[in-house]
Amino acid sequence: MTILLPESSQTAAEALTPRQIVAELDKHVVGQHAAKRAVAIALRNRMRRQKLPAELAEEIAPKNILMIGPTGVGKTEIARRLARLAQSPFIKVEASKFTEVGYVGRDVESMVRDLVELGVEMIRAERLDEVRAKARQNAEERLLDLLLPPSRPLTPGEEAAGRDQHSHTRDWFRDQLREGRLDQRVVEVDVREKSFPSLEIIAGGSVEEVGINLNDTVQGLFQGGRAKKRKLKVPEAWDHLAQEEEQKLIDMDSVARAAIERVEQSGIIFVDEIDKIAGREGSHGPEVSREGVQRDILPIVEGTTVNTKHGMVRTDHILFIAAGAFHVSKPSDLIPELQGRFPIRVELEALGKDEFVRILTEPRSALVKQYTALMSTEGITLEFTAGAIDRIADFATIVNERTENIGARRLHTVMEKLLDEISFEGPDLQEKHVVIDDAYVSRMLADIVKNEDLSRYIL
């Protein structure tokens, strides 16, 4: 017996070898081959596990990954792109938020609940695609009933002829409706309003647990609210009725079961800033114990069962990817139990000028392509010369060295400042073809970069 991922998730990644997964990631993230290689192997192992007998598959735990590297080098982007490639439910959480005052180990299970909600939304969107045509057809019939109300009861002698005439008239209305000739007509439809606002009670347990119980208790009492008649134009009424029909055609219990299965078998949780909860001796003040937060996170990563409003979810086979800069602390500062749950460690390299040049031009959604597309909406053609791109990368590298090194994020601030004039004057520019060369880059940025104090504030 084998256990398989839901079909839509399975088909997306099963055919990809680790080498092909890395190639896909290369389209969006520059460099960092070691990290890409590690996540590609982890994803492929997940696919391999699905083909094993159930008894053995249950014993094989995912090999969680710890990414070590400075900010802005692609840690989050690699995990996000991997999840999209595998069509997996993906959520990013920051470990440091669990250390905030007043949140002593704030219910870390909330990350799993949020992941389940995402899974439900993914499955629901897939089911919507399947039933949309049928829902639209049902909505059309309901709309025709509103446009062409039933006539008076027919006598036995009139029945056959009346039926034919009504059917003919209905078909005529259907053709007019599809051709858009009835779009200005107004119909009266029932719209359900929510009579009661959402309630939140903070009691002995966590807010999430109270919310789950409260939702279950009042759902049957106030579901749907009361109906109110509203007059809508035909296109708006059609859309509203189609949405109602979609909800009728989707079995939310089935959606919840499929979502839980997908989360358990293919979910990915990205825990950022894990270095901020690495225990350091001698720290004082109002901060919550870092070690305490680690111990709260530990059972989730090790494998536990979390209660959500859609059902119980096991975290044994969710893939956890943790990341941190580890400037002050080191991975060995984490408690041993947590270290053991992240057996794969990869170090990401800091980015320099050569990487910045590639980031500006190579990825599928490179910054140069983004700004060129944005300005094209104003009829402006931006042309970046090779010298300009080299100069932009040079300035970004200099600012990172002189101030804080924020990696590729520095390119965003540099590009915004560089194109500030064009972005503002864009609609009024007479010359619609603008060439960005190294002289233009130097004119816009040189003074700011030279003045170190100014660059701290602007770049």
Side-chain angles (χ1 to χ4, degrees):
M1 177 185 174
T2 60
I3 52 174
L4 297 175
L5 284 177
E7 187 177 344
S8 58
S9 177
Q10 180 186 357
T11 54
E14 191 176 54
L16 293 176
T17 65
R19 192 182 302 278
Q20 290 170 327
I21 293 169
V22 170
E24 287 295 318
L25 293 174
D26 282 340
K27 295 177 183 177
H28 305 283
V29 183
V30 168
Q32 314 303 357
H33 185 73
K36 291 174 183 173
R37 186 184 176 100
V39 297
I41 292 171
L43 183 60
R44 186 65 178 185
N45 280 342
R46 174 173 274 178
M47 295 299 121
R48 291 164 178 155
R49 173 182 163 271
Q50 309 308 317
K51 299 177 181 179
L52 295 175
E55 297 79 10
L56 182 57
E58 189 63 28
E59 297 298 323
I60 297 177
K63 304 303 181 286
N64 298 323
I65 300 166
L66 177 61
M67 294 184 182
I68 304 163
T71 184
V73 297
K75 300 188 293 293
T76 305
E77 193 63 18
I78 288 172
R80 184 181 288 121
R81 295 292 178 181
L82 181 78
R84 191 172 298 177
L85 184 63
Q87 295 182 14
S88 300
F90 171 83
I91 190 170
K92 175 191 173 185
V93 296
E94 294 184 1
S96 56
K97 82 174 182 178
F98 300 120
T99 66
E100 293 170 5
V101 176
Y103 281 83
V104 186
R106 176 185 179 270
D107 190 7
V108 294
E109 293 180 350
S110 62
M111 66 176 79
V112 180
R113 295 194 182 100
D114 292 342
L115 189 66
V116 172
E117 291 297 330
L118 283 172
V120 168
E121 199 53 43
M122 285 178 70
I123 301 291
R124 184 175 170 276
E126 291 169 10
R127 300 282 172 86
L128 276 178
D129 289 339
E130 296 171 6
V131 303
R132 188 165 281 123
K134 178 65 176 173
R136 194 79 179 167
Q137 184 180 342
N138 292 352
E140 182 183 71
E141 296 301 326
R142 288 178 61 185
L143 192 55
L144 288 171
D145 290 340
L146 295 171
L147 290 166
L148 187 65
S151 57
R152 63 176 175 80
L154 301 174
T155 63
E158 301 172 320
E159 193 169 334
R163 269 203 311 267
D164 289 342
Q165 183 179 357
H166 186 271
S167 175
H168 179 73
T169 306
R170 191 176 178 91
D171 289 341
W172 182 85
F173 264 89
R174 191 190 308 278
D175 293 338
Q176 297 288 306
L177 178 63
R178 291 177 177 176
E179 292 170 9
R181 296 180 182 177
L182 303 178
D183 285 357
Q184 297 307 312
R185 293 279 293 270
V186 175
V187 294
E188 199 171 54
V189 297
D190 290 332
V191 178
R192 292 200 170 274
E193 294 184 335
K194 292 183 179 178
S195 305
F196 295 87
S198 59
L199 304 174
E200 184 176 310
I201 299 174
I202 301 177
S206 68
V207 175
E208 286 85 352
E209 288 176 353
V210 174
I212 291 168
N213 296 331
L214 186 62
N215 284 339
D216 291 341
T217 304
V218 301
Q219 189 174 9
L221 295 175
F222 306 130
Q223 190 172 18
R226 60 190 180 86
K228 179 182 178 182
K229 290 192 177 295
R230 285 183 58 194
K231 291 185 177 180
L232 300 173
K233 287 190 175 181
V234 164
E236 296 172 356
W238 200 349
D239 288 340
H240 174 75
L241 293 173
Q243 289 177 12
E244 285 190 357
E245 290 299 319
E246 286 171 355
Q247 299 307 319
K248 291 178 183 176
L249 291 170
I250 294 175
D251 178 5
M252 287 307 295
D253 289 337
S254 169
V255 167
R257 287 194 299 271
I260 288 174
E261 181 188 357
R262 183 174 295 187
V263 165
E264 288 182 340
Q265 302 299 332
S266 67
I268 299 175
I269 294 180
F270 183 81
V271 185
D272 203 6
E273 295 187 355
I274 198 166
D275 56 316
K276 302 296 191 300
I277 62 167
R280 288 175 292 181
E281 295 298 326
S283 61
H284 299 286
E287 264 186 296
V288 177
S289 162
R290 294 183 178 87
E291 187 172 317
V293 176
Q294 292 181 58
R295 294 198 179 280
D296 285 326
I297 292 177
L298 180 61
I300 306 290
V301 182
E302 277 190 328
T304 188
T305 303
V306 177
N307 181 24
T308 75
K309 70 179 183 181
H310 299 289
M312 305 298 284
V313 178
R314 293 178 58 204
T315 66
D316 301 67
H317 299 288
I318 293 176
L319 177 65
F320 288 85
I321 302 176
F326 289 99
H327 289 312
V328 179
S329 57
K330 352 181 246 302
S332 58
D333 290 333
L334 295 167
I335 60 175
E337 298 92 332
L338 194 58
Q339 289 183 50
R341 293 304 297 171
F342 289 93
I344 301 174
R345 297 181 186 178
V346 288
E347 189 166 354
L348 285 83
E349 303 158 359
L351 302 176
K353 179 184 172 181
D354 293 342
E355 288 78 22
F356 285 164
V357 170
R358 295 178 60 198
I359 289 168
L360 285 167
T361 55
E362 287 184 15
R364 185 170 287 176
S365 55
L367 278 177
V368 168
K369 297 174 186 174
Q370 291 180 26
Y371 282 100
T372 303
L374 279 175
M375 298 315 299
S376 69
T377 62
E378 304 275 5
I380 298 169
T381 305
L382 280 184
E383 182 184 338
F384 288 81
T385 67
I389 290 170
D390 192 73
R391 196 82 174 120
I392 293 167
D394 200 27
F395 279 135
T397 306
I398 291 170
V399 177
N400 269 350
E401 289 172 352
R402 290 182 180 175
T403 60
E404 290 293 324
N405 187 349
I406 59 173
R409 294 189 179 95
R410 185 70 67 188
L411 291 172
H412 290 273
T413 56
V414 170
M415 289 290 287
E416 278 295 324
K417 188 60 187 173
L418 172 68
L419 299 175
D420 177 77
E421 193 175 285
I422 295 173
S423 298
F424 186 82
E425 301 289 348
D428 306 317
L429 285 177
Q430 298 301 315
E431 177 56 52
K432 296 297 184 182
H433 182 82
V434 180
V435 177
I436 309 292
D437 55 16
D438 52 350
Y440 183 92
V441 176
S442 296
R443 178 168 66 84
M444 295 298 294
L445 298 176
D447 290 341
I448 298 172
V449 173
K450 282 179 186 175
N451 187 334
E452 192 167 327
D453 290 334
L454 190 58
S455 65
R456 286 180 185 275
Y457 290 105
I458 295 180
L459 298 178

